[in-house]
């Protein structure tokens, strides 16, 4: 007898007939306190919500928002040309539209209506490092277990526009919602969390990101802890026990009536890391104590920081009574995202070809964001990555204010510890690091504790960095880490290298 494997079809639900209808005209008008115009019979339905006319898809509802430099009303015609079903405007236009007094306020109202109709638990995520990755991991876990009925904010839509937009896009059938919240000033998360109203609030970690605006890590911790202010009654706060700010975060959570669930390495963590070993094919095999049970799973994304992130994911999934088994499978399948740890093989010209006649190198794309904590973590992971040579292309870390020179200079130590063979520094702020590396290279006083340092180059712009890297010459089996704040523009360097992706 031969067993034949087959994939079972998901059972269809009668409600799935309206699967692609997100809102109808009446529901939108009631939610935003507006009036329907230009639609036959005053009726239309939309399948999506958009604020950028360039991204409009057929069936979308386009909000004509006013920004400091641009007015979305200028792009209403473009939105209709791309297939928008209707637009939300503050002045009459040709075509189906809902007229309101303020389009930004209308977007917030539609987001609030979406949150009000949500039938499942909602999770909010913030933190100085890793919030987008953790948000994506939680979503992947819950989407798998709910057969596609989980919703999350896409990209890094985590500010005063991105959060209500992400809420407004949440289908009424969603069984879970996962939303990211960011800030660079005190009070921002307080406003966002009151819109999201999470049942579970996760703080990934506290680090000196945005310290220029807030002044101290303690102030950053307080600003992140604002997420607890919006928790639903009986809500859960998931916080990192290994953080020096754990007690501060815990006090903030308890003051808001939350149940605290801790994660980390500490012996008294509620979700405690017991063991981690390298997994076959990369990543880590993780064993975790969750109090009444132990779970073992694989984290595909490499790095100890990703292992710790996975603990927060497991804590959040359990808090909403999600499927831990599905979460483990999702973590095993998730690699890095573009700009946030994606690993790709690229063709290079240097070195001897392999048995297939190819010359491949590993490109690690961390070009979207950088702060002192994430720099150290990714450099440490580069040091554990098998490679003939380890090359670090490091862009400036922004929003560090007067602390910037010290934080940049301090990267000399993790560069040395990672065994970096060549460092390419990009941006004016990297001058402080270049000074330290240069002093160590010359054996000057005060740099002796660094020992031998890698050869390096310092470029003021990404364009020069691309040319410098080409002149240096990448070789087969190199590992190239590219990391910096998004505004540095290192994604262009990644694109230049990836044009030869294998």
């Amino acid at each position: 007898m031969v067993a034949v494997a087959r994939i079972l079809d998901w059972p269809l639900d009668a409600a799935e007939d309206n699967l692609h209808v997100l809102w109808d005209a009446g529901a939108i008008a009631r939610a935003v306190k507006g009036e329907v115009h230009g639609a036959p019979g005053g009726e239309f339905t939309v399948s999506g919500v958009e604020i950028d006319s360039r991204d409009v898809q057929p069936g979308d509802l386009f909000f004509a928002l006013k920004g400091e430099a641009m007015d979305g009303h200028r792009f209403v015609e473009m939105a209709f040309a791309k297939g928008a079903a209707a637009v939300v405007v503050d002045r009459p236009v040709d075509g189906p539209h809902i007229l309101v007094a303020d389009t930004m306020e209308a977007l917030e109202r539609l987001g609030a209506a979406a949150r009000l109709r949500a039938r499942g638990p909602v999770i909010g995520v913030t933190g100085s490092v890793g919030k987008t990755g953790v948000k994506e991991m939680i979503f992947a876990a819950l989407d798998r277990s709910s057969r596609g009925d989980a919703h999350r904010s896409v990209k890094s839509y985590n500010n005063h526009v991105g959060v209500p937009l992400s809420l407004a896009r949440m289908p009424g059938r969603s069984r879970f919602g996962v939303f990211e919240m960011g800030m660079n000033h005190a009070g921002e998360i307080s406003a966002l969390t009151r819109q999201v109203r999470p049942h579970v609030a996760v703080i990934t970690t506290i680090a000196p990101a945005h310290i220029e605006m807030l002044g101290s890590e303690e102030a950053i911790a307080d600003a992140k802890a604002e997420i607890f202010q919006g928790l639903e009654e009986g809500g859960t706060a998931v916080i990192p026990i290994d953080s020096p700010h754990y007690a501060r975060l815990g006090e903030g959570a308890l003051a808001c009536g939350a149940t605290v669930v801790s994660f980390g390495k500490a012996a008294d963590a509620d979700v405690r890391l017991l063991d981690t070993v390298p997994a076959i094919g990369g990543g880590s095999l993780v064993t975790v104590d969750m109090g009444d049970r132990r779970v073992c799973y694989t984290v595909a994304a490499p790095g100890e920081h990703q292992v710790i992130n996975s603990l927060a994911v497991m804590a959040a999934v359990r808090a909403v009574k999600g499927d831990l088994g599905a979460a483990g499978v999702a973590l095993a399948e998730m690699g890095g995202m573009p700009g946030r740890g994606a690993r790709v093989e690229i063709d290079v010209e240097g070195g001897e070809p392999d048995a297939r006649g190819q010359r491949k190198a590993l490109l690690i794309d961390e070009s979207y964001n950088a702060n002192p904590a994430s720099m150290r973590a990714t450099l440490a992971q580069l040091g554990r990555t098998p490679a003939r040579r380890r090359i670090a292309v490091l862009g400036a870390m922004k929003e560090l204010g007067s602390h910037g020179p010290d934080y940049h200079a301090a990267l000399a130590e993790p560069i040395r510890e990672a065994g970096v063979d060549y460092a390419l520094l990009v941006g004016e702020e990297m001058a402080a690091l270049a000074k330290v590396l240069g002093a160590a290279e010359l054996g000057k006083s005060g740099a002796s504790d660094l020992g031998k340092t890698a050869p390096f180059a310092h470029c003021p712009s990404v364009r020069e960095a691309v040319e410098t890297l080409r002149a240096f010459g990448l070789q087969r089996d190199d590992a190239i880490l590219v990391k910096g704040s998004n505004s540095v523009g290192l994604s262009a360097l990644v694109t230049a290298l990836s044009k030869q992706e294998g």
Side-chain angles (χ1 to χ4, degrees):
M1 179 178 178
V2 178
V4 179
R6 64 185 295 265
I7 299 174
L8 297 178
D9 293 329
W10 288 358
L12 293 176
D13 188 289
E16 293 187 16
D17 288 341
N18 294 319
L19 195 63
H20 301 295
V21 175
L22 183 62
W23 297 97
D24 62 43
I28 299 168
R30 289 190 296 273
V32 305
K33 299 187 182 304
E35 298 176 350
V36 180
H37 296 276
E43 293 292 335
F44 60 79
T45 61
V46 301
S47 54
V49 180
E50 190 51 73
I51 59 172
D52 189 331
S53 59
R54 295 168 297 182
D55 296 331
V56 167
Q57 298 295 317
D60 278 353
L61 174 69
F62 174 68
F63 276 79
L65 301 183
K66 292 180 179 179
E68 294 182 3
M70 201 69 68
D71 185 348
H73 291 81
R74 291 175 52 191
F75 305 101
V76 165
E77 287 187 16
M78 180 187 295
F80 277 128
K82 296 193 73 173
V87 297
V88 178
V89 290
D90 64 11
R91 66 203 71 163
V93 298
D94 292 332
H97 64 277
I98 293 183
L99 192 61
V100 298
D102 185 305
T103 53
M104 184 63 226
E105 183 178 313
L107 179 61
E108 292 174 351
R109 289 181 181 278
L110 191 62
R115 177 63 185 89
L116 188 63
R117 74 180 182 180
R119 62 181 178 132
V122 170
I123 298 173
V125 182
T126 193
S128 301
V129 183
K131 56 184 175 289
T132 300
V134 167
K135 178 258 296 181
E136 290 294 326
M137 289 177 177
I138 294 172
F139 166 75
L142 298 175
D143 199 53
R144 171 175 283 275
S145 64
S146 67
R147 294 180 172 180
D149 276 346
H151 173 78
R152 95 298 204 179
S153 49
V154 298
K155 302 178 184 178
S156 291
Y157 283 9
N158 59 19
N159 63 7
H160 69 288
V161 176
V163 167
L165 173 63
S166 298
L167 284 166
R169 290 172 168 176
M170 180 164 58
R173 69 178 187 278
S174 297
R175 291 172 55 192
F176 299 100
V178 191
F179 298 91
E180 178 182 337
M181 288 171 259
M183 62 89 200
N184 53 26
H185 291 85
E188 290 181 86
I189 288 180
S190 177
L192 299 178
T193 190
R194 286 180 165 85
Q195 295 180 55
V196 175
R197 293 174 26 234
H199 299 87
V200 177
V202 179
I203 293 181
T204 59
T205 190
I206 301 298
H210 311 303
I211 199 168
E212 178 183 16
M213 312 297 182
L214 291 151
S216 69
E217 283 196 22
E218 289 76 14
I220 293 170
D222 290 341
K224 295 297 185 183
E226 292 171 8
I227 193 172
F228 305 134
Q229 296 173 12
L231 275 171
E232 293 284 76
E233 185 176 353
T236 300
V238 177
I239 57 178
I241 197 169
D242 302 320
S243 169
H245 307 288
Y246 170 71
R248 195 181 196 95
L249 296 175
E251 289 171 4
L254 292 173
C256 295
T259 298
V260 173
V261 174
S262 60
F263 66 91
K265 297 179 180 179
D268 54 344
D270 296 307
V271 180
R272 177 190 173 203
L273 178 64
L274 293 179
D275 187 37
T276 177
V277 296
I280 297 174
S284 305
L285 183 63
V286 181
T287 304
V288 175
D289 185 353
M290 302 190 73
D292 62 341
R293 72 187 68 182
R294 291 185 176 185
V295 295
C296 185
Y297 55 89
T298 297
V299 179
E304 182 181 352
H305 59 297
Q306 299 290 10
V307 171
I308 299 301
N309 284 345
S310 78
L311 306 182
V313 173
M314 286 297 189
V317 169
R318 190 176 200 192
V320 296
K321 298 180 172 55
D323 187 331
L324 294 178
V329 173
L331 290 170
E333 293 178 344
M334 280 196 69
M337 299 179 291
R340 302 178 185 275
R343 294 183 165 218
V344 295
E345 281 192 333
I346 58 172
D347 292 311
V348 295
E349 296 181 356
E352 293 296 321
D354 60 20
R356 297 174 295 175
Q358 298 178 330
R359 297 180 180 90
K360 299 288 186 180
L362 175 65
L363 175 62
I364 306 170
D365 178 12
E366 288 272 2
S367 60
Y368 186 80
N369 205 356
N371 59 53
S374 65
M375 277 285 201
R376 283 181 171 271
T378 50
L379 281 166
Q381 182 54 33
L382 176 65
R384 291 189 287 268
T385 300
R388 183 168 297 177
R389 298 185 305 178
R390 296 180 180 89
I391 298 161
V393 181
L394 305 178
M397 300 178 290
K398 301 294 187 177
E399 296 187 8
L400 296 178
S402 61
H403 304 271
D406 289 341
Y407 280 123
H408 284 88
L411 295 177
E413 180 184 358
I415 286 173
R416 178 187 62 80
E417 292 176 345
V420 170
D421 295 289
Y422 178 70
L424 179 55
L425 315 180
V426 187
E428 294 180 3
E429 294 91 337
M430 278 292 175
L433 176 56
K435 183 178 180 180
V436 174
L437 294 179
E441 194 172 46
L442 294 173
K444 291 184 178 180
S445 175
S448 59
D449 56 335
L450 287 175
K452 183 181 178 181
T453 60
F456 74 95
H458 181 206
C459 299
S461 70
V462 172
R463 185 178 65 180
E464 291 181 55
V466 171
E467 294 305 317
T468 301
L469 193 59
R470 284 175 176 160
F472 170 73
L474 297 179
Q475 297 183 7
R476 174 190 156 203
D477 293 335
D478 282 347
I480 308 105
L481 167 66
V482 181
K483 186 168 181 65
S485 289
N486 189 40
S487 60
V488 176
L490 285 177
S491 59
L493 185 144
V494 170
T495 298
L497 296 178
S498 298
K499 285 180 179 177
Q500 301 183 66
E501 182 178 329

